[in-house]
Amino acid sequence: FFCRKKCINRFVSGNDFFILLLFYIIFIFNYFYKFHLDGDYLKILMDERGKKYLIKEDREFQTDLGIIKKEQMERATIGDTIITHLNKEFKVIKPTVNDFIDLMDRRCSILIQKDIGTVLARTGLGSGDRVIDAGTGAGAIALNFGNVVGEKGKVFTYEIREDFAEVAKKNIDDFGIKNIEVKNQNIKDGIDEEEIDLVFLDLPKPFEIFEDVKKALRLGGWLAVYAPYIDQAETAYRIAKKLGFRDLTILETLEREMEIRPQGTRPKTRMVGHSGYLVFARKL
Amino acid sequence: FFCRKKCINRFVSGNDFFILLLFYIIFIFNYFYKFHLDGDYLKILMDERGKKYLIKEDREFQTDLGIIKKEQMERATIGDTIITHLNKEFKVIKPTVNDFIDLMDRRCSILIQKDIGTVLARTGLGSGDRVIDAGTGAGAIALNFGNVVGEKGKVFTYEIREDFAEVAKKNIDDFGIKNIEVKNQNIKDGIDEEEIDLVFLDLPKPFEIFEDVKKALRLGGWLAVYAPYIDQAETAYRIAKKLGFRDLTILETLEREMEIRPQGTRPKTRMVGHSGYLVFARKL
Amino acid sequence: FFCRKKCINRFVSGNDFFILLLFYIIFIFNYFYKFHLDGDYLKILMDERGKKYLIKEDREFQTDLGIIKKEQMERATIGDTIITHLNKEFKVIKPTVNDFIDLMDRRCSILIQKDIGTVLARTGLGSGDRVIDAGTGAGAIALNFGNVVGEKGKVFTYEIREDFAEVAKKNIDDFGIKNIEVKNQNIKDGIDEEEIDLVFLDLPKPFEIFEDVKKALRLGGWLAVYAPYIDQAETAYRIAKKLGFRDLTILETLEREMEIRPQGTRPKTRMVGHSGYLVFARKL
Amino acid sequence: FFCRKKCINRFVSGNDFFILLLFYIIFIFNYFYKFHLDGDYLKILMDERGKKYLIKEDREFQTDLGIIKKEQMERATIGDTIITHLNKEFKVIKPTVNDFIDLMDRRCSILIQKDIGTVLARTGLGSGDRVIDAGTGAGAIALNFGNVVGEKGKVFTYEIREDFAEVAKKNIDDFGIKNIEVKNQNIKDGIDEEEIDLVFLDLPKPFEIFEDVKKALRLGGWLAVYAPYIDQAETAYRIAKKLGFRDLTILETLEREMEIRPQGTRPKTRMVGHSGYLVFARKL
């Protein structure tokens, strides 16, 4: 929404070369900047059944509900409805980060929403914050963080496995977000960053690097650890405490969905009984 | 729709001086602008017991742990440690949005973190998003949203009561965030905004405005309703369904905290049994 | 261990015919009495894998772990180990009511243990109590109640469907318990009993008979209603309240199982999210 | 423990008179015996506000709602309504075991109902079963078990502290139940009983006696351990497994109460977050 110096250019009447150059640089910069941050280029299609399709580039698109031509795809913008040759409607939607994660290549399990929500709410993560995340996996949690911290923030995501790092990079690139740096290195070999607002660890033996984490955090920054087993959560808690972290908490969240049926309302018969514990500790 | 500098262009009369001046103005403007969005001006103090104090301006500060002089306050920057005349340490911390909400004037009950987390995670709210929130109350949830959507995003928060709107405005101002507009008007009289990513309603009878909400939402945007009673959640669900919303879900979150004691580990004896249901519905 | 009048006989030195007759009657009575209440005749087999088999009568028994001859079966008593021709061990066990319910013919869904436990604990049901249960289904809950109230208590179980009533009768007969009366009649046509300690209803629209239930209960007796939907539970609650019942409560129980694995301990990933609500109301 | 007529035999000297006398004595004995087991002698009063009073003997009874004379108390039987001199109604009620536990002397914390329910339901405890319980405390859980196993069953309850054992004895005596034996001895010094259906342990380091427990249990009998901390539950689980127990389970129960208010229905804001884990293991 900052259509800044771009427009000004037209009126610059043959002055200093430097000024023009400057404008040009600003223009170029803003163009790509706006471009990606608006996410205008990423769109998903949704058919009448609610099924979503990720569209990476404009080409002919075939489904069981009919064909959409390349020309249709090119003309389509966010909010449009496209009609296939079988007369079925597809809507063009700007995906949320969750839409994208649903559709992207996920070759390893990802953190479930309730746990991401707990991390976001507990740490108060916001625009402009700097986050470290390890390990990356397919990049889902990095995308969630990147989505929140915005262009003024930054996410550094460490992944030891090269194949995962590649997948994550591709996913992040496809989503069109610029503030996530995938680092294909072992976070246990050292943390390069400083003045970090949140370090999120979903690793075996995360406590081995709590000293490094403490150095990397800003005063007031949060360490959050995802631990499937209570024993891991306990060890993380005890070591964080020993290292002087404060505001230590171990949380577990249970999410219930209610069903509305003609006969009445009730919680769903099946629910996720457990995903993991979240250990929070703050550098203070 | 932000016709900012674009409009200015017309007046630029082809000479270096004005252009340079313009750059200078933009620079200065951006400097202070950024400055505030970084929240550099807002700091909190934390004493050795972990008690937090909100510091709105630099003046002498007295506590039971001793006096901090005005000069000390002025010199202090984020990350510093200040020593009182009683030789007690106070740390200067950049507050998270949660720190600020803990300390701000809250004259009405606020949504608890687990529910905010569910809304953030479920809707995938992120940087640049546009949010409507009603009713504002003391502004806590608006601050949470504002913190996430960042300077490229926007929060419009409707509050019918003038006293609450005043408190919220002051709180938002104190936090130093510029992307929240408090609207002291009844959202049931109409919604002024369009192309909204998330409408969050914590109101009696929220379903009365679901048609307006649908118009205000972008395609793919979310409606989220906080309902303490299951009956309200049901009604919201049914009416949203009738109006063609999709991806309807009623969620309830239970948060358990684990206790680490010398004798062993266990969930805390007391927990919040219920706060409210969250109804989610999407315009698709 | 009740070697009662049986032993006395030896010392009776040829006295009155009547006295002998009397003893004889007592003896006979006790014999059958003991017989059934000890449940000596019902036994289950358990193989090395923990699989259970219900043995209704002594005859040759074939499994994939080998054959047990009729003679072996006849000689076997509770606590014995039987060896098949393939040299596999089967243990002869006195079944608990739960073992029996696991193995019996269950053609309709049965109440899960956590809910039975809540009813037993909340109402303080005990030996000698008189219980009404409707509808019977396959008789599982009646067996649970019969198991608790013992020979001095009584369970009247109403079932409208003849086929279910037949199955239940057979199950109850097989378990060898004498204190349960299966009534193949619609409880909504009237309740025949009085001075009842507990009326348990697992029926559609249970509230239609709350007036009758109140008459049937003793002062201090409990009404317990199983309601899968919150709406049913609410209606039951309101009508019970209107009819003057007291100590009204709606409960819901969540049961979590912990897993002990080599990596650590955690709640199971899957759990039952909901079975039903239990409404309790007391005649006072 | 019912050494009834067996012992008498030795004295029967072959003549009518004695034998008839004997029968008469047996009759009388049984009459009073039954009498107590029916709990006819124990009654509670309930005033109009629902407040309960335990009445151990018939004498003048004074409350803020008026005086009930000794004569009124003597005449009153279960189900009656008594009027005080202030014209207030008191109802005479046969207490359930829960009513009694609410009113009895409880100088130590007692197991909450949800956990008792889980033990009863999981083990299928019933009439005629033999139970060991340690430690007794004020006797609440022994009363619950005694109430279920009835006069043909038996509860042996071990309590190391003499003061608790005394309180428990008095409570059990007051409730008028005859099938509970309070043993003021350390269960860790050995278990005297055999062929037990359920051993319930609410002790520090219960696993120290699991070998003895296994000997004391019948084939198919259950060990149930109450453990407030997950670490205790884990240790109990692992040791029980090592000793060859089967059907090992660690359960935790969460109980939610629903509130019916004019505005709507919702789970209560406060709930018990945790009481303890229950470890179940079976001798098979």
Side-chain angles (χ1 to χ4, degrees):
Chain A
F1 67 44
F2 293 79
C3 107
R4 297 179 356 194
K5 296 95 193 177
K6 191 168 69 178
C7 325
I8 306 177
N9 298 334
R10 303 183 197 138
F11 302 91
V12 179
S13 51
N15 289 300
D16 284 12
F17 173 73
F18 278 111
I19 286 172
L20 275 170
L21 182 66
L22 189 71
F23 269 110
Y24 188 68
I25 290 164
I26 290 167
F27 174 79
I28 294 297
F29 175 77
N30 271 286
Y31 179 80
F32 283 103
Y33 186 70
K34 172 180 177 300
F35 177 84
H36 270 293
L37 273 155
D38 284 4
D40 277 347
Y41 257 32
L42 187 68
K43 50 197 177 197
I44 59 172
L45 292 186
M46 180 175 286
D47 67 25
E48 299 170 0
R49 299 163 302 196
K51 194 179 167 188
K52 295 180 282 191
Y53 308 84
L54 186 60
I55 307 303
K56 293 184 190 172
E57 53 181 313
D58 293 337
R59 56 176 180 185
E60 191 179 271
F61 180 69
Q62 306 189 359
T63 72
D64 57 329
L65 298 179
I67 293 168
I68 300 172
K69 290 191 204 129
K70 195 186 171 198
E71 299 78 57
Q72 287 179 292
M73 294 297 283
E74 281 168 356
R75 264 186 322 233
T77 58
I78 302 291
D80 284 359
T81 300
I82 306 179
I83 312 288
T84 69
H85 83 291
L86 294 178
N87 225 20
K88 299 290 182 184
E89 292 192 354
F90 278 71
K91 283 179 177 164
V92 186
I93 297 171
K94 176 187 152 200
T96 66
V97 69
N98 292 335
D99 289 324
F100 180 77
I101 291 171
D102 285 348
L103 296 171
M104 75 182 195
D105 177 1
R106 299 183 298 178
R107 60 191 66 188
C108 42
S109 68
I110 65 166
L111 214 60
I112 59 177
Q113 273 178 18
K114 69 180 184 70
D115 296 317
I116 294 168
T118 304
V119 173
L120 294 181
R122 192 80 182 185
T123 63
L125 193 73
S127 180
D129 283 348
R130 291 157 51 83
V131 180
I132 286 173
D133 153 43
T136 310
I141 186 80
L143 282 168
N144 277 287
F145 290 145
N147 182 50
V148 166
V149 301
E151 68 188 85
K152 294 181 71 93
K154 182 86 188 176
V155 178
F156 307 92
T157 182
Y158 287 73
E159 173 58 54
I160 194 171
R161 284 181 56 171
E162 200 180 339
D163 54 343
F164 283 172
E166 284 312 307
V167 171
K169 269 178 200 167
K170 197 176 163 305
N171 283 333
I172 289 160
D173 205 50
D174 284 349
F175 188 54
I177 202 165
K178 295 289 177 199
N179 58 0
I180 304 175
E181 185 181 330
V182 179
K183 306 180 81 161
N184 181 202
Q185 61 192 69
N186 187 351
I187 196 170
K188 296 193 178 176
D189 293 340
I191 298 176
D192 308 326
E193 293 76 22
E194 288 186 336
E195 287 296 305
I196 295 295
D197 294 279
L198 167 63
V199 174
F200 177 77
L201 302 178
D202 179 4
L203 291 176
K205 305 200 181 171
F207 44 83
E208 291 176 352
I209 54 163
F210 281 4
E211 282 194 75
D212 287 351
V213 167
K214 208 177 168 195
K215 275 177 214 138
L217 287 173
R218 73 164 174 92
L219 188 69
W222 281 99
L223 163 62
V225 172
Y226 178 79
Y229 297 97
I230 184 62
D231 320 70
Q232 297 166 338
E234 263 183 68
T235 309
Y237 183 99
R238 289 190 202 278
I239 289 176
K241 191 169 189 179
K242 208 170 158 189
L243 292 173
F245 280 95
R246 293 177 75 167
D247 287 3
L248 294 148
T249 321
I250 304 179
L251 290 184
E252 181 197 21
T253 307
L254 291 163
E255 192 177 78
R256 300 184 94 187
E257 190 176 338
M258 302 298 286
E259 271 183 320
I260 307 284
R261 297 195 199 167
Q263 312 96 296
T265 298
R266 50 174 284 153
K268 281 210 169 169
T269 303
R270 289 279 148 194
M271 70 183 275
V272 175
H274 181 72
S275 52
Y277 297 95
L278 287 163
V279 186
F280 294 95
R282 200 171 183 193
K283 178 179 175 181
L284 282 174
Chain B
F1 45 59
F2 291 81
C3 103
R4 306 232 289 247
K5 291 104 198 171
K6 196 167 65 180
C7 323
I8 305 174
N9 298 335
R10 301 179 197 145
F11 303 95
V12 180
S13 53
N15 73 60
D16 296 11
F17 175 74
F18 275 110
I19 287 172
L20 279 171
L21 184 65
L22 189 71
F23 270 108
Y24 189 70
I25 289 164
I26 291 169
F27 174 79
I28 294 296
F29 174 78
N30 270 288
Y31 180 81
F32 282 104
Y33 186 69
K34 172 181 176 298
F35 187 80
H36 262 294
L37 274 158
D38 286 2
D40 279 346
Y41 255 25
L42 189 66
K43 50 197 177 197
I44 60 170
L45 293 186
M46 180 176 286
D47 66 26
E48 299 170 358
R49 301 162 303 196
K51 195 179 168 189
K52 295 180 282 192
Y53 308 83
L54 185 59
I55 306 304
K56 294 184 193 172
E57 53 180 314
D58 294 336
R59 56 177 179 183
E60 190 179 271
F61 179 68
Q62 306 188 1
T63 73
D64 57 331
L65 298 180
I67 294 167
I68 299 171
K69 289 191 203 130
K70 195 186 171 195
E71 298 79 57
Q72 287 177 294
M73 294 295 285
E74 281 168 355
R75 265 184 323 231
T77 57
I78 302 292
D80 285 358
T81 299
I82 306 178
I83 313 289
T84 69
H85 84 290
L86 294 177
N87 225 22
K88 298 291 181 184
E89 291 191 353
F90 278 70
K91 284 179 177 164
V92 186
I93 298 172
K94 176 186 152 199
T96 67
V97 70
N98 293 334
D99 290 324
F100 180 77
I101 291 170
D102 285 348
L103 295 170
M104 76 183 196
D105 177 1
R106 300 184 298 179
R107 61 189 67 189
C108 43
S109 69
I110 65 166
L111 213 60
I112 61 177
Q113 274 178 15
K114 70 180 183 68
D115 296 318
I116 294 167
T118 304
V119 173
L120 295 181
R122 192 83 184 181
T123 63
L125 193 73
S127 180
D129 284 349
R130 290 159 51 82
V131 180
I132 286 173
D133 152 46
T136 310
I141 187 80
L143 281 169
N144 278 287
F145 290 145
N147 182 51
V148 165
V149 301
E151 68 187 83
K152 292 183 72 89
K154 183 85 188 178
V155 179
F156 307 92
T157 180
Y158 287 74
E159 173 58 54
I160 194 170
R161 282 180 58 171
E162 200 181 338
D163 53 345
F164 283 171
E166 284 312 307
V167 170
K169 268 179 201 167
K170 198 175 161 305
N171 283 332
I172 290 159
D173 206 51
D174 284 349
F175 188 54
I177 203 166
K178 296 286 176 202
N179 58 1
I180 304 175
E181 186 181 329
V182 179
K183 305 180 83 159
N184 181 200
Q185 62 193 71
N186 187 352
I187 195 169
K188 297 196 178 174
D189 294 341
I191 297 177
D192 308 325
E193 293 76 20
E194 288 184 336
E195 287 296 306
I196 295 295
D197 294 280
L198 167 64
V199 174
F200 177 78
L201 302 177
D202 178 5
L203 291 176
K205 305 199 180 172
F207 44 84
E208 292 177 351
I209 54 163
F210 281 5
E211 283 193 75
D212 288 350
V213 167
K214 207 177 168 197
K215 275 178 215 139
L217 286 173
R218 72 163 173 95
L219 189 67
W222 282 98
L223 163 62
V225 172
Y226 179 79
Y229 296 97
I230 184 61
D231 321 69
Q232 298 166 338
E234 265 183 67
T235 309
Y237 182 99
R238 289 189 202 280
I239 289 176
K241 190 170 189 179
K242 208 172 157 188
L243 291 174
F245 280 95
R246 293 178 76 167
D247 287 3
L248 295 147
T249 322
I250 305 179
L251 291 182
E252 181 197 20
T253 307
L254 290 164
E255 193 177 77
R256 300 184 94 188
E257 191 176 338
M258 302 297 286
E259 271 183 321
I260 308 284
R261 297 195 199 166
Q263 313 96 296
T265 298
R266 50 174 283 153
K268 280 208 170 172
T269 302
R270 290 280 148 193
M271 69 183 274
V272 174
H274 182 73
S275 51
Y277 297 95
L278 287 163
V279 187
F280 293 95
R282 199 172 183 192
K283 178 180 175 180
L284 283 175
Chain C
F1 57 45
F2 292 80
C3 103
R4 298 191 341 203
K5 292 99 196 174
K6 197 167 64 176
C7 324
I8 306 179
N9 296 337
R10 300 182 197 141
F11 302 92
V12 178
S13 50
N15 286 300
D16 282 12
F17 174 74
F18 276 112
I19 286 172
L20 276 170
L21 183 65
L22 188 71
F23 270 109
Y24 190 70
I25 290 164
I26 291 169
F27 175 79
I28 294 297
F29 175 77
N30 269 287
Y31 180 80
F32 283 103
Y33 185 71
K34 172 181 178 299
F35 176 85
H36 269 293
L37 274 154
D38 284 3
D40 278 346
Y41 257 32
L42 187 68
K43 50 196 178 198
I44 61 171
L45 292 186
M46 179 175 285
D47 67 25
E48 298 169 0
R49 300 162 303 194
K51 194 179 167 189
K52 294 181 282 190
Y53 307 83
L54 185 60
I55 307 303
K56 293 184 189 172
E57 54 180 311
D58 294 337
R59 57 176 178 183
E60 192 179 88
F61 180 69
Q62 306 189 359
T63 73
D64 57 329
L65 298 179
I67 294 168
I68 299 172
K69 291 193 202 127
K70 195 187 172 197
E71 298 79 58
Q72 286 178 294
M73 295 295 285
E74 282 168 356
R75 264 186 322 233
T77 57
I78 302 291
D80 285 359
T81 299
I82 306 179
I83 312 288
T84 69
H85 83 289
L86 295 177
N87 226 20
K88 298 290 182 185
E89 291 192 355
F90 278 72
K91 282 179 178 167
V92 186
I93 298 171
K94 177 187 152 198
T96 66
V97 70
N98 292 335
D99 290 324
F100 180 77
I101 290 169
D102 284 348
L103 296 171
M104 78 183 195
D105 177 2
R106 300 183 299 179
R107 62 188 66 189
C108 42
S109 68
I110 64 167
L111 213 61
I112 60 178
Q113 273 177 18
K114 69 179 183 70
D115 296 318
I116 294 168
T118 305
V119 173
L120 295 181
R122 192 80 183 185
T123 64
L125 193 73
S127 179
D129 283 349
R130 290 156 53 84
V131 179
I132 286 173
D133 154 43
T136 309
I141 186 80
L143 282 169
N144 277 288
F145 289 146
N147 181 52
V148 165
V149 301
E151 68 188 88
K152 293 181 74 93
K154 183 86 189 177
V155 179
F156 306 93
T157 181
Y158 287 73
E159 173 58 54
I160 195 171
R161 283 181 56 170
E162 201 180 339
D163 53 343
F164 283 172
E166 284 313 306
V167 170
K169 268 179 199 166
K170 198 176 160 306
N171 282 334
I172 290 160
D173 207 49
D174 284 349
F175 188 55
I177 203 165
K178 296 288 177 200
N179 58 1
I180 303 174
E181 187 180 330
V182 179
K183 306 180 83 161
N184 181 202
Q185 62 192 71
N186 187 351
I187 196 171
K188 296 194 177 175
D189 294 340
I191 297 176
D192 309 326
E193 294 76 20
E194 288 186 336
E195 288 296 305
I196 295 295
D197 293 280
L198 167 64
V199 175
F200 176 78
L201 302 178
D202 179 3
L203 290 177
K205 304 200 182 170
F207 45 84
E208 291 176 353
I209 55 163
F210 281 5
E211 282 195 75
D212 288 350
V213 166
K214 206 176 170 196
K215 276 178 213 138
L217 287 172
R218 72 163 175 92
L219 188 68
W222 282 98
L223 163 63
V225 171
Y226 178 80
Y229 296 97
I230 184 61
D231 320 71
Q232 297 166 337
E234 264 184 68
T235 310
Y237 182 99
R238 289 190 203 278
I239 290 177
K241 190 170 189 179
K242 207 171 158 189
L243 291 174
F245 280 94
R246 296 178 74 167
D247 287 3
L248 294 148
T249 322
I250 304 179
L251 291 183
E252 181 197 19
T253 307
L254 291 164
E255 193 176 77
R256 299 184 95 189
E257 191 176 336
M258 302 297 286
E259 272 183 319
I260 307 284
R261 297 194 199 167
Q263 313 96 296
T265 298
R266 49 174 285 152
K268 281 209 169 170
T269 302
R270 289 280 148 194
M271 69 181 275
V272 175
H274 182 72
S275 51
Y277 297 95
L278 287 163
V279 186
F280 293 95
R282 199 171 183 192
K283 178 180 175 180
L284 283 174
Chain D
F1 60 57
F2 292 79
C3 104
R4 301 201 328 213
K5 295 98 195 177
K6 193 167 69 179
C7 324
I8 305 173
N9 296 337
R10 300 180 198 146
F11 302 94
V12 178
S13 51
N15 72 59
D16 295 12
F17 176 73
F18 275 110
I19 286 171
L20 278 170
L21 183 65
L22 190 70
F23 270 107
Y24 189 69
I25 290 164
I26 291 168
F27 175 79
I28 295 296
F29 175 78
N30 269 289
Y31 180 81
F32 282 104
Y33 184 70
K34 171 182 176 301
F35 188 78
H36 261 294
L37 274 158
D38 285 2
D40 279 347
Y41 253 26
L42 188 68
K43 51 197 177 197
I44 60 171
L45 293 186
M46 180 176 284
D47 66 26
E48 299 170 358
R49 301 163 302 196
K51 194 178 168 191
K52 294 181 281 192
Y53 308 83
L54 185 60
I55 307 302
K56 294 186 191 171
E57 55 181 312
D58 293 338
R59 57 176 179 184
E60 191 178 271
F61 180 70
Q62 305 189 1
T63 72
D64 57 330
L65 298 180
I67 294 169
I68 299 171
K69 290 190 203 135
K70 195 187 170 194
E71 297 79 57
Q72 287 178 292
M73 294 296 283
E74 281 168 355
R75 262 184 326 228
T77 57
I78 302 291
D80 285 0
T81 299
I82 306 178
I83 311 289
T84 70
H85 85 289
L86 294 178
N87 226 21
K88 299 290 182 184
E89 290 192 355
F90 279 70
K91 283 179 177 165
V92 186
I93 298 171
K94 176 186 151 200
T96 66
V97 69
N98 292 336
D99 289 324
F100 180 76
I101 291 169
D102 284 348
L103 296 170
M104 78 183 195
D105 178 1
R106 302 183 297 180
R107 61 189 67 189
C108 42
S109 69
I110 65 166
L111 214 59
I112 61 177
Q113 274 177 16
K114 71 180 182 69
D115 296 318
I116 294 168
T118 304
V119 173
L120 295 180
R122 192 82 183 182
T123 63
L125 194 73
S127 180
D129 283 348
R130 291 157 52 82
V131 180
I132 287 173
D133 153 44
T136 310
I141 188 78
L143 282 168
N144 277 287
F145 290 145
N147 182 51
V148 166
V149 300
E151 68 186 85
K152 294 185 72 89
K154 182 85 190 179
V155 179
F156 307 93
T157 181
Y158 288 74
E159 173 58 54
I160 195 171
R161 281 181 58 169
E162 200 179 339
D163 54 343
F164 283 171
E166 284 312 308
V167 170
K169 269 179 200 167
K170 199 175 160 305
N171 282 333
I172 290 160
D173 205 51
D174 284 351
F175 188 55
I177 203 166
K178 296 288 178 200
N179 58 359
I180 303 175
E181 186 180 330
V182 180
K183 304 179 83 159
N184 181 200
Q185 62 193 70
N186 187 351
I187 195 170
K188 297 195 177 175
D189 294 340
I191 298 176
D192 308 326
E193 292 78 19
E194 288 185 335
E195 288 295 307
I196 295 296
D197 293 280
L198 168 63
V199 175
F200 176 78
L201 302 178
D202 179 4
L203 291 177
K205 305 199 180 173
F207 44 82
E208 291 177 351
I209 54 162
F210 281 5
E211 283 195 74
D212 288 350
V213 166
K214 209 178 168 197
K215 276 179 213 137
L217 286 173
R218 73 163 174 93
L219 189 69
W222 281 100
L223 163 63
V225 172
Y226 178 80
Y229 296 97
I230 184 60
D231 320 69
Q232 297 166 337
E234 265 183 67
T235 310
Y237 182 99
R238 288 189 203 278
I239 289 178
K241 191 170 190 179
K242 208 172 157 187
L243 291 173
F245 279 95
R246 294 179 74 168
D247 288 2
L248 294 148
T249 322
I250 304 179
L251 291 182
E252 182 197 19
T253 308
L254 290 164
E255 193 176 77
R256 298 185 95 188
E257 191 176 337
M258 302 297 287
E259 272 182 322
I260 308 284
R261 298 195 199 165
Q263 313 97 295
T265 298
R266 50 175 282 152
K268 281 207 169 172
T269 303
R270 290 278 148 196
M271 70 182 275
V272 174
H274 181 74
S275 52
Y277 298 95
L278 287 163
V279 186
F280 293 94
R282 200 171 183 192
K283 179 181 176 180
L284 282 175

